[in-house]
């Protein structure tokens, strides 16, 4: 997500002075084309800031009340004295519509480029705004408690958001793609090694449906009904992938449109993330093999996403019935951390962020290993001090130990000697 645009103090002063002495006149600015406005603003705020100031100015022209939008723009770019405000605002009040159709494409391009932090063409910008409009239209049917009257309305909203996200991500991916010449630069050697390791790891992790027992082992014993439902769906995901269905788009639409989605993001629940077993994408492009790879990736990712979203919803419901404020970050984040650990996603602490992906590509499953320690540690720490999480973590640990012990006991009876009971053994 692009950072909010902000002028440095030196440029703010230059802009304020230009407003005061009349060099910057909103009426005249509104009659310029986007290119003319950009060229003009470069003289006031510099080349690096002109597009940002211009897009901020023009974004306000999209508002139904264009005059109020321009006043808001003037306030945000720089502080004005009461006298200067009155003079400026009186000029704005005399304006009629200021954006003509001829200038629309250029203005949308500047606005989208500023918001996304990457260059876009006029056609791409127009598509982005059309998709954004569909999101807003679908969201208008959402109630204050983030619910919809029908499941169809809810999923329509989710699908519109997924379509916008996919389009924007495709643009960013293309713009960030390195050429062969750039890849051969010494500064990119580490990235190249990381990418090779990541793709090798992805291929090794594919061609199976192991997540239901590996990442799902703990949730099998703590939330068996949810586990059974989502484990069954993995086989459906595999079938649908071979049939050409966009499995992950539909799953993401479901999760994004849930009433608790904003809480998932606020609590940092691991949905919409790159799973550590599948950091590479090269295998997807291999004929025939790519389809098999994609099917196993969808089964894996679909299972853990559903598990996290469903179990998170369940714990929030329990917490709410227990009188806990589920919008309090001190409770929300620990609950999300508890759910992440139950589904094989531990937090790497200081290694999270830009270094996390490289670390994950080189080592096989660092987050999965960390999740095992988190499952034990949450009983004591409450994943950050939550008594609710301590209680749930203790109950979960008891269920996991009993379930695992029972499984080992049965295995030893079925095939005597197949289980090593001595904790000192290297086996």
């Amino acid at each position: 997500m692009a950072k909010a645009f902000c002028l440095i103090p030196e440029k703010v002063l230059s802009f304020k002075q230009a407003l005061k002495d009349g060099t910057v006149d909103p009426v005249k600015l509104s009659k310029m084309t986007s290119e003319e406005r950009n060229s003009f603003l470069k003289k006031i705020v510099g080349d690096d800031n002109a597009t940002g100031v211009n897009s901020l100015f023009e974004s306000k022209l999209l508002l139904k009340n264009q005059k109020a939008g321009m006043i808001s723009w003037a306030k945000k770019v720089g502080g004005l004295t009461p006298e200067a405000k009155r003079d400026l605002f009186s000029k704005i009040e005399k304006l009629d519509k200021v954006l003509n159709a001829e200038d629309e494409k250029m203005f949308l391009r500047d606005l989208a480029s500023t918001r996304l932090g990457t260059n876009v063409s006029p056609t791409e910008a127009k598509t982005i705004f059309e998709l954004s409009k569909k999101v807003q239209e679908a969201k208008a049917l959402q109630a204050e408690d983030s619910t919809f009257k029908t499941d169809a309305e809810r999923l329509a909203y989710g699908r519109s958001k997924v379509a916008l996200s996919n389009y924007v991500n495709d643009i960013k991916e293309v713009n960030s793609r390195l050429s062969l010449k750039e890849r051969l630069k010494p500064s990119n050697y580490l990235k190249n090694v990381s990418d090779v390791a990541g793709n090798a790891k992805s291929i090794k992790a594919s061609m199976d449906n192991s997540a239901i027992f590996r990442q799902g082992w703990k949730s099998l014993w703590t939330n068996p009904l949810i586990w059974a439902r989502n484990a069954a769906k993995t086989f459906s995901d595999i079938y649908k992938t071979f049939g050409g269905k966009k499995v992950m788009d539909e799953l993401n639409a479901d999760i994004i449109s849930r009433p608790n989605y904003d809480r998932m993001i606020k609590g940092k629940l691991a949905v919409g993330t790159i799973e550590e077993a599948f950091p590479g994408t090269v295998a997807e492009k291999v004929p025939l093999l790519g389809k098999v790879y994609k099917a196993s990736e969808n089964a894996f990712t679909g299972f853990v996403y559903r598990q996290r979203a469903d179990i998170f919803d369940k714990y929030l419901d329990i917490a709410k019935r227990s009188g806990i404020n589920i919008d309090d970050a001190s409770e929300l984040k620990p609950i999300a951390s508890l759910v992440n650990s139950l589904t094989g996603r531990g937090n790497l602490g200081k290694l999270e962020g830009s270094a996390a992906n490289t670390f994950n590509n080189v080592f096989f499953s660092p987050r999965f290993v960390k999740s095992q320690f988190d499952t034990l540690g949450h009983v004591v720490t409450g994943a950050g001090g939550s008594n609710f999480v301590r209680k749930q973590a203790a109950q979960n640990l008891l269920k996991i130990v009993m379930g695992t012990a029972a499984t080992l006991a049965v295995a030893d009876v079925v095939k005597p000697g197949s289980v090593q009971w001595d904790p000192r053994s290297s086996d």
Side-chain angles (χ1 to χ4, degrees):
M1 184 177 292
K3 295 181 178 178
F5 170 73
C6 182
L7 280 177
I8 61 174
E10 179 186 346
K11 297 301 180 182
V12 170
L13 291 175
S14 297
F15 189 85
K16 287 170 63 178
Q17 182 58 43
L19 279 171
K20 291 175 182 178
D21 62 23
T23 303
V24 172
D25 187 333
V27 177
K28 293 179 180 179
L29 280 178
S30 67
K31 294 179 180 179
M32 297 178 184
T33 65
S34 277
E35 289 185 341
E36 289 172 344
R37 233 181 338 262
N38 258 325
S39 297
F40 176 77
L41 289 171
K42 284 179 182 179
K43 302 172 185 177
I44 309 298
V45 295
D47 292 358
D48 295 335
N49 300 305
T51 297
V53 174
N54 188 34
S55 66
L56 182 59
F57 177 84
E58 293 176 330
S59 68
K60 299 307 175 183
L61 305 183
L62 285 176
L63 301 175
K64 292 180 180 179
N65 189 336
Q66 295 182 343
K67 296 176 183 178
M70 294 180 72
I71 291 173
S72 175
W73 168 80
K75 288 179 179 178
K76 286 186 177 181
V77 175
L80 299 172
T81 64
E83 294 77 15
K85 284 182 181 179
R86 283 194 295 270
D87 181 57
L88 178 62
F89 298 161
S90 66
K91 292 181 180 179
I92 292 175
E93 287 298 331
K94 296 176 182 178
L95 289 176
D96 293 321
K97 289 185 179 180
V98 292
L99 187 64
N100 55 54
E102 185 181 331
D103 202 26
E104 182 179 6
K105 282 190 175 182
M106 294 302 298
F107 127 66
L108 288 177
R109 184 193 65 183
D110 275 0
L111 179 60
S113 296
T114 301
R115 292 294 182 269
L116 302 180
T118 187
N119 293 324
V120 299
S121 69
T123 301
E124 289 170 338
K126 186 176 181 181
T127 301
I128 289 171
F129 280 89
E130 288 173 350
L131 291 173
S132 298
K133 184 179 179 181
K134 290 181 180 179
V135 171
Q136 295 306 314
E137 290 173 349
K139 189 175 183 180
L141 301 175
Q142 190 179 49
E144 290 184 6
D145 61 354
S146 299
T147 60
F148 290 84
K149 289 183 179 180
T150 66
D151 210 41
E153 288 180 355
R154 180 179 71 84
L155 289 175
Y157 169 61
R159 288 169 186 146
S160 67
K161 291 203 69 174
V162 169
L164 174 60
S165 177
N166 287 346
Y167 189 76
V168 170
N169 288 337
D170 286 345
I171 292 174
K172 288 186 174 182
E173 195 276 330
V174 170
N175 288 345
S176 64
R177 193 178 296 161
L178 297 179
S179 65
L180 178 60
K181 184 177 180 180
E182 290 172 324
R183 279 194 171 276
L184 293 176
K185 291 180 180 179
S187 58
N188 287 320
Y189 285 171
L190 180 60
K191 176 176 172 54
N192 294 338
V193 172
S194 174
D195 288 348
V196 170
N199 283 299
K201 176 180 177 178
S202 298
I203 294 172
K204 180 176 175 60
S206 64
M207 317 303 173
D208 60 29
N209 191 16
S210 61
I212 58 177
F213 287 117
R214 191 165 186 262
Q215 278 72 18
W217 183 257
K218 288 174 286 188
S219 58
L220 163 62
W221 304 111
T222 58
N223 298 275
L225 294 179
I226 293 176
W227 179 91
R229 179 175 68 242
N230 291 331
K233 287 180 179 178
T234 62
F235 297 98
S236 175
D237 288 343
I238 292 173
Y239 176 78
K240 289 178 179 177
T241 302
F242 280 111
K245 302 291 185 181
K246 294 183 178 181
V247 174
M248 290 309 301
D249 282 358
E250 195 66 11
L251 171 58
N252 286 328
D254 170 53
I255 293 177
I256 286 172
S257 59
R258 293 192 186 196
N260 284 322
Y261 181 68
D262 286 343
R263 295 186 179 97
M264 293 178 193
I265 300 303
K266 185 178 178 181
K268 297 185 178 180
L269 187 72
V271 290
T273 57
I274 296 176
E275 288 305 306
E276 63 179 1
F278 293 91
T281 59
V282 170
E284 293 180 23
K285 300 175 177 63
V286 179
L288 298 179
L289 178 65
K291 184 70 76 172
V292 178
Y293 170 87
K294 191 63 180 177
S296 61
E297 180 187 21
N298 285 346
F300 182 105
T301 307
F303 175 74
V304 293
Y305 279 13
R306 289 192 186 98
Q307 284 291 94
R308 288 167 191 157
D310 289 350
I311 297 173
F312 185 76
D313 284 342
K314 174 184 173 181
Y315 280 139
L316 285 192
D317 184 55
I318 295 173
K320 189 175 181 179
R321 285 188 279 109
S322 300
I324 293 172
N325 181 4
I326 59 174
D327 290 313
D328 184 352
S330 64
E331 292 291 346
L332 206 53
K333 289 184 178 179
I335 292 174
S337 182
L338 172 70
V339 176
N340 286 340
S341 69
L342 281 178
T343 53
R345 184 88 176 191
N347 189 290
L348 298 178
K350 293 181 179 179
L351 288 175
E352 289 290 354
S354 59
N357 291 335
T358 299
F359 187 67
N360 175 59
N361 289 351
V362 176
F363 297 95
F364 196 76
S365 298
R367 289 190 179 94
F368 178 76
V369 173
K370 181 59 164 51
S371 74
Q372 311 291 50
F373 289 98
D374 287 345
T375 299
L376 295 171
H378 288 166
V379 176
V380 178
T381 66
S386 170
N387 288 327
F388 173 78
V389 167
R390 285 192 185 95
K391 180 180 178 180
Q392 297 300 323
Q395 294 176 357
N396 289 340
L397 185 59
L398 181 61
K399 293 175 183 178
I400 294 167
V401 170
M402 291 178 64
T404 303
T407 302
L408 293 175
V410 170
D412 203 27
V413 169
V414 173
K415 186 177 180 180
S418 61
V419 177
Q420 175 56 258
W421 296 102
D422 186 352
R424 299 170 298 177
S425 171
S426 61
D427 295 329

